[in-house]
Amino acid sequence: MVNASVENRDAATAPATQPPSASAPPATPSEKPTTTAAPPPITAPAEPLPSAAPPSSSDPAPAPAEPVTFTFPDGRLSFTHPAGWRVEHSQGGASPSVENVTVYDASGNEQIGIFYSEVGGGVAGPHTRTAFFSEPVPGLQGHSGPETAHASFYVDRIDGAPHYRLSLTHRAAVSPDGTEGADVVIVGGNRVLAANVVFTGGPFASDEAAKAWFAGSEGQALTAILMSFSYR
């Protein structure tokens, strides 16, 4: 009995043995969340802008103005001249009719003298002629008698001195047979027409200088006026 009691007391007093608790695994540090950048949006390639036309180096030259027509009071004889040029007309007499016209260029220089009358004529002395240019005037054909009026550029040498002329002639300045055209034209049967370019400053230095002037802008502009004469 004693032993039992002791054993019972020992059992009662002995500390209870706790079963070993399972230890939780050590906590592992949590991983930091990673951030992934979103890919850039895909955009269609921009279409290239049309290239601008290169600037023009210079503006286009304006078109030349149309020639101006001058008609004599009788309404039958006319000619054209460049725009900006000026024509002065004077009536010297009514019966018989005598008319004078002066053509001035844009700078006011006298360029052509014109005589148009029911009376008149031409006088020529001894000379030697060389023609540089002589062409029929279309608007006077059939109105200048049996001959065909020409616009002519030539030189008459009188006593060795040169006299250059750019004028209307009643035929070629020098015909193949050697005859020369006078610097007056009969139009309409009873009208005398003379048109002569006014040369100032003395004769040209040489025939070559005269031909070079004739081929230039001034010579061609004056020749165009003579070639534009028309009678209807």
Side-chain angles (χ1 to χ4, degrees):
M1 297 291 293
V2 174
N3 289 338
S5 300
V6 173
E7 290 175 359
N8 292 339
R9 185 180 61 244
D10 290 341
T13 59
T17 302
Q18 300 293 334
S21 60
S23 61
T28 58
S30 60
E31 296 181 358
K32 292 182 179 180
T34 59
T35 303
T36 303
I42 299 175
T43 59
E47 295 184 0
L49 296 176
S51 58
S56 175
S57 58
S58 61
D59 293 331
E66 292 293 324
V68 178
T69 299
F70 174 82
T71 303
F72 285 78
D74 66 359
R76 306 192 71 178
L77 182 67
S78 65
F79 64 89
T80 63
H81 61 81
W85 289 33
R86 177 169 55 90
V87 174
E88 285 188 356
H89 173 271
S90 63
Q91 186 82 37
S95 183
S97 175
V98 177
E99 300 174 57
N100 289 280
V101 166
T102 305
V103 181
Y104 298 88
D105 64 17
S107 299
N109 301 310
E110 182 180 354
Q111 292 285 10
I112 300 178
I114 302 169
F115 177 78
Y116 182 49
S117 174
E118 293 177 339
V119 294
V123 177
H127 61 270
T128 302
R129 174 172 294 180
T130 302
F132 307 123
F133 169 87
S134 194
E135 291 292 335
V137 177
L140 296 181
Q141 292 192 39
H143 301 286
S144 55
E147 306 289 349
T148 300
H150 282 55
S152 302
F153 182 48
Y154 56 95
V155 57
D156 286 340
R157 288 182 169 81
I158 303 173
D159 296 331
H163 297 265
Y164 294 92
R165 308 289 298 275
L166 177 53
S167 66
L168 293 180
T169 54
H170 87 291
R171 63 170 70 166
V174 178
S175 298
D177 61 3
T179 58
E180 298 175 352
D183 59 357
V184 292
V185 178
I186 305 299
V187 293
N190 64 342
R191 294 276 183 146
V192 175
L193 170 63
N196 296 276
V197 168
V198 178
F199 289 112
T200 58
F204 294 102
S206 64
D207 288 357
E208 292 305 314
K211 288 187 283 187
W213 170 85
F214 178 76
S217 58
E218 185 177 50
Q220 290 302 295
L222 295 171
T223 302
I225 294 176
L226 297 180
M227 291 292 291
S228 75
F229 270 88
S230 178
Y231 190 86
R232 58 181 185 179

